Amino acid sequence: MSTMMGVAHTRLEGREKVTGAARYAVEFPADDVTYGWAVPASVTRGRITRIDPAPALAVPGVLDVLHHGHAPRLVPGVDATLFLLQEPAVHYRGELIAVVVAETLEAAREGARLVRIDYDTEPHSTVLTEHHPGLYRPDKVNPGYPPDTADGDFDAGFAAAQIRVDATYRTPAYHNNPMEPHATTARWQDGRLLVHDSNQGSSPVQSALAELFGLPREAVRVVTEHVGGGFGSKGYAKAPVVLAALAARQVGRPVRLALTRQQLFGPIGYRTPTIQRVRLGADPDGRISAVCHDAISQTSTIYEFAEQSAVYARSMYAGRHRRTTHRLVRLDVPTPFWMRAPGECPGAYALESAMDELATACGVDPVELRIRNDTAVDPDQGQPFSSRDLVACLREGAHRFGWADRDPTPGVRRDGRWLVGTGVAGSNYPARARAAAATATAAPDGTFEVRINATDIGTGARTALWQVAADALAVPGDRVTIRIGDSALPPAGVAGGSMGTASWSWAIIRACEGLRDRIRNSPGGTVPAEGLTVEVSTADEIRAQPPRPRYAYGAYFVEVRIDVDTGEIRLDRMLGVFAAGRIVNPTTARSQFIGGMTMGVSMALHEEGLLDERYGDWVNHDLATYHISTCADVDRIEAYWLPEEDADLNPAGVKGIGEIGIVGSAAAVTNAVHHATGIRIRDLPVRLDKLLERLPAR
């Protein structure tokens, strides 16, 4: 009997990646290939009145310049953000409005620099404020939640509470910045479109392209063999795949197109800035009676994306009187999109910070405060959770971290010139699964092949699914081959929402179980010369699963040092404990947990999209000016998980771990900063200039 699941294993494709043999979207061989370079709009809002391609076409090697007056036509209605090169309107600065195609990358880049464009500009609005006259309530927030909820009487409950916290927290724009930029190689042949694209799921990209170009779905094939990260930004078809397909049709040759690092700051999505007001009412022991979370965010004028920031407060802690609201404003900016743990991440920063403020106001230890407000019944749905190990995560983390020795008084612990503090936060993230299909084939030589259109975006999903398949087939792993990342394979959902392994493994297990049954029932229990194949879809099984609140949980513990003279912040150590169902591969799971926590540190201390309101564009649009955490910023980071069994999930018992690591981590850092200094920073990131003049020694 194979026992692959739960055993640490290196990535199947690891050698290919470290030797450079792994091929990414613009590295696949293509005969007679050309290169595309996208041209961004230089105004915030207006109309293109003239495009002069002549200077670009004069560059040796430039083949064509595509723009709204000179590009193949698309079918409208799929998604306004993908309806590219079709009209003269400019909706935001940086919108991709032309593509230069050339024999070489250098010629394409030079041609793009020389395209001359004139505009009629119009007044614009680009700044998110809580008093913007355009604020409205959306019909839903991502991915389909009601925008507002209410239970009990929050206003009365808050007014009657003996202890009240009322604070507003602000987060700036964040940018995903995967290592591999958004990139595509596109080729047309006999009316069919083949693209090698960097995305988080080729099935929805295939659907979008088929609709845009008016093709049957089977006439489009999208291959996603290796992906260099996405963090949500590649969860759907984006501009490069459409532009490359348009250009390839126009010039009649394959086209490679990759966005520059600077072009990733806008046209492909970002996490919206947020303004979040959290109100908590409690008794002197810290037991919450009233909770309200109001969230404000932005979207573009061409497509509504509503970040679900306040949804986090609906199910995290107890409280009789509850209210959550979301308000949105349409601005002349790019469309926000998914970024790792959309909604839950900024929402947790606000609520977990407010919980820390409540703990201080009540004089209750912040770990104990969270334990006192634990609940076995989801306050939002009114049903028991399928499993809820938040308290276990908090207690295990406190033990491993040495929390019991903590002096709760802020701003008093010193180590030479350093102020030292510790902080904690909890987290949850929905444990979802979506329908998928998989095929399992047995060969007469005793080997097996499992096929599913899953996507490995660098998480190790390929390896985890191989382990699942080997266990489901009850054979050694060296007899199993896994094929993923191609829309020609059985359809499956995106690598996003922490749904990948939960969804894909379900289909793989059912296909492998069906194949084992076929083999047992075949003459002599053997595989015939032509082999045996079983294809299974989980659509009916998932549809029949009763709705129930299912979540992964986590707890974070952080120690920071702040230089009393300079305000410099150093993160000494960070520890996370998670309850995320069955862990398929401890090696890659640890990478996911610490990766999420590191992104949370980055959010707390470094990352900030700085908007120039004159243009509605970010002035820091590269990795030299948009700062992210590096190895030197994290002295020690540890991730642990609890042995959690939840029979109500899926056949593999997994909850998904891609996002739980980031959800509450920023709040744990900022709570530690407060404990070290006594200063509460409610607008991220926490920079030394926000601390310096307020530090105790000054």
Side-chain angles (χ1 to χ4, degrees):
M1 184 74 174
S2 175
T3 54
M4 297 283 288
M5 289 180 63
V7 177
H9 202 286
T10 56
R11 298 170 189 245
L12 296 178
E13 79 285 7
R15 179 175 293 275
E16 292 179 77
K17 286 184 173 178
V18 300
T19 60
R23 295 181 298 187
Y24 290 81
V26 291
E27 297 177 325
F28 282 84
D31 295 332
D32 206 23
V33 70
T34 64
Y35 298 85
W37 196 279
V39 179
S42 60
V43 300
T44 309
R45 181 182 176 191
R47 294 181 68 82
I48 301 168
T49 58
R50 184 179 72 98
I51 291 184
D52 180 8
L57 292 170
V59 175
V62 170
L63 302 175
D64 210 337
V65 179
L66 284 75
H67 52 83
H68 71 275
H70 178 66
R73 296 295 92 188
L74 297 174
V75 178
V78 178
D79 179 342
T81 66
L82 301 178
F83 197 61
L84 298 163
L85 312 188
Q86 304 297 299
E87 57 186 18
V90 174
H91 305 96
Y92 60 88
R93 183 181 172 94
E95 185 174 12
L96 302 179
I97 57 173
V99 174
V100 175
V101 186
E103 299 276 0
T104 66
L105 186 65
E106 293 79 8
R109 180 175 60 189
E110 178 66 6
R113 186 181 69 84
L114 295 174
V115 175
R116 299 289 179 254
I117 305 174
D118 295 332
Y119 308 89
D120 273 344
T121 60
E122 301 172 12
H124 60 262
S125 176
T126 60
V127 180
L128 177 69
T129 71
E130 58 265 61
H131 306 298
H132 196 288
L135 283 171
Y136 69 97
R137 182 178 69 181
D139 292 334
K140 64 180 181 179
V141 294
N142 177 62
Y145 293 109
D148 298 353
T149 59
D151 187 26
D153 187 338
F154 168 75
D155 292 324
F158 186 69
Q162 293 174 269
I163 307 294
R164 292 189 290 272
V165 168
D166 184 347
T168 298
Y169 305 90
R170 298 172 188 268
T171 60
Y174 299 114
H175 301 273
N176 309 60
N177 275 303
M179 184 71 74
E180 180 197 20
H182 290 61
T184 304
T185 301
R187 172 170 48 200
W188 291 86
Q189 187 170 8
D190 300 326
R192 302 175 67 86
L193 174 61
L194 169 65
V195 298
H196 291 85
D197 183 54
S198 184
N199 61 60
Q200 293 176 226
S202 60
S203 292
V205 176
Q206 177 193 37
S207 296
L209 291 173
E211 292 185 55
L212 281 166
F213 286 94
L215 298 170
R217 185 183 171 101
E218 59 271 16
V220 179
R221 182 181 176 191
V222 181
V223 178
T224 311
E225 184 174 332
H226 296 290
V227 179
F231 310 112
S233 70
K234 297 176 182 176
Y236 185 62
K238 291 300 177 71
V241 71
V242 179
L243 295 177
L246 282 168
R249 172 169 274 189
Q250 180 83 348
V251 301
R253 292 167 59 179
V255 172
R256 301 194 201 282
L257 190 151
L259 295 187
T260 67
R261 180 62 57 185
Q262 290 80 5
Q263 290 171 340
L264 298 186
F265 285 73
I268 52 83
Y270 57 98
R271 196 193 299 282
T272 172
T274 69
I275 303 169
Q276 301 177 68
R277 183 185 181 190
V278 177
R279 285 171 282 177
L280 300 175
D283 65 22
D285 290 333
R287 289 180 171 82
I288 297 172
S289 56
V291 55
C292 180
H293 192 157
D294 302 311
I296 296 172
S297 63
Q298 70 188 36
T299 190
S300 71
T301 60
I302 57 173
Y303 186 88
E304 182 182 273
F305 179 85
E307 184 99 340
Q308 70 274 29
S309 304
V311 167
Y312 180 82
R314 296 176 183 174
S315 299
M316 189 58 183
Y317 298 110
R320 172 65 187 90
H321 304 288
R322 316 178 65 83
R323 186 166 71 212
T324 65
T325 69
H326 294 84
R327 296 296 179 265
L328 199 60
V329 62
R330 292 185 179 273
L331 299 175
D332 300 305
V333 296
T335 305
F337 198 60
W338 303 326
M339 184 169 174
R340 199 172 198 169
E344 282 79 6
C345 178
Y349 161 66
L351 182 60
E352 296 294 330
S353 297
M355 290 291 286
D356 204 61
E357 299 203 44
L358 180 62
T360 300
C362 296
V364 175
D365 177 83
V367 172
E368 176 61 26
L369 180 86
R370 288 166 171 81
I371 292 173
R372 290 180 186 180
N373 288 286
D374 188 38
T375 172
V377 175
D378 182 358
D380 186 45
Q381 298 185 37
Q383 296 184 53
F385 294 99
S386 67
S387 59
R388 183 176 167 99
D389 283 321
L390 172 63
V391 170
C393 290
L394 287 163
R395 287 181 169 150
E396 178 70 11
H399 170 71
R400 288 181 176 273
F401 191 77
W403 185 265
D405 298 329
R406 181 186 194 253
D407 183 339
T409 309
V412 299
R413 185 177 168 195
R414 296 196 180 215
D415 179 12
R417 75 176 196 273
W418 297 94
L419 294 164
V420 181
T422 52
V424 64
S427 71
N428 74 25
Y429 195 81
R432 306 184 183 101
R434 293 291 182 266
T439 298
T441 297
D445 63 359
T447 61
F448 301 84
E449 183 178 79
V450 175
R451 299 178 295 280
I452 184 170
N453 190 24
T455 310
D456 191 332
I457 60 174
T459 59
R462 179 185 277 103
T463 307
L465 297 181
W466 167 72
Q467 292 175 265
V468 169
D471 270 13
L473 291 166
V475 299
D478 59 7
R479 290 170 56 187
V480 180
T481 301
I482 186 92
R483 285 188 58 204
I484 65 171
D486 188 335
S487 65
L489 299 171
V494 300
S498 294
M499 297 182 292
T501 302
S503 305
W504 306 328
S505 64
W506 196 328
I508 286 173
I509 288 171
R510 294 298 185 239
C512 292
E513 288 173 343
L515 181 61
R516 292 179 67 185
D517 289 342
R518 285 280 308 276
I519 294 172
R520 278 194 295 266
N521 295 328
S522 65
T526 60
V527 177
E530 67 274 15
L532 290 174
T533 296
V534 169
E535 181 166 345
V536 170
S537 169
T538 60
D540 291 341
E541 192 175 357
I542 288 179
R543 199 160 33 238
Q545 189 180 42
R548 194 175 176 191
R550 302 174 178 89
Y551 290 87
Y553 292 93
Y556 315 82
F557 295 81
V558 169
E559 180 177 88
V560 298
R561 289 179 293 131
I562 291 110
D563 189 301
V564 74
D565 295 314
T566 68
E568 175 188 353
I569 306 167
R570 287 292 178 188
L571 188 131
D572 281 349
R573 58 190 178 118
M574 186 175 198
L575 184 150
V577 177
F578 303 95
R582 190 175 184 184
I583 299 300
V584 177
N585 186 342
T587 298
T588 51
R590 179 180 179 275
S591 293
Q592 285 297 291
F593 288 135
I594 66 173
M597 287 192 284
T598 303
M599 287 186 74
V601 173
S602 202
M603 172 182 172
L605 302 181
H606 301 293
E607 294 188 52
E608 180 180 21
L610 294 168
L611 186 81
D612 187 330
E613 62 185 80
R614 296 172 300 171
Y615 306 111
D617 197 6
W618 290 279
V619 295
N620 56 334
H621 51 255
D622 55 36
L623 293 180
T625 53
Y626 180 84
H627 296 158
I628 61 173
S629 288
T630 63
C631 293
D633 294 308
V634 183
D635 192 27
R636 187 168 124 214
I637 188 164
E638 303 169 63
Y640 304 94
W641 49 86
L642 305 177
E644 185 182 60
E645 296 289 336
D646 189 335
D648 195 51
L649 292 171
N650 48 66
V654 301
K655 286 186 173 180
I657 58 178
E659 285 156 300
I660 187 65
I662 193 178
V663 174
S665 51
V669 175
T670 57
N671 291 342
V673 170
H674 172 262
H675 183 240
T677 63
I679 302 167
R680 179 70 64 179
I681 303 297
R682 299 188 181 96
D683 59 312
L684 293 183
V686 181
R687 296 192 308 261
L688 58 85
D689 60 295
K690 297 179 182 179
L691 295 173
L692 191 55
E693 295 302 322
R694 300 165 62 190
L695 288 171
R698 300 181 68 90

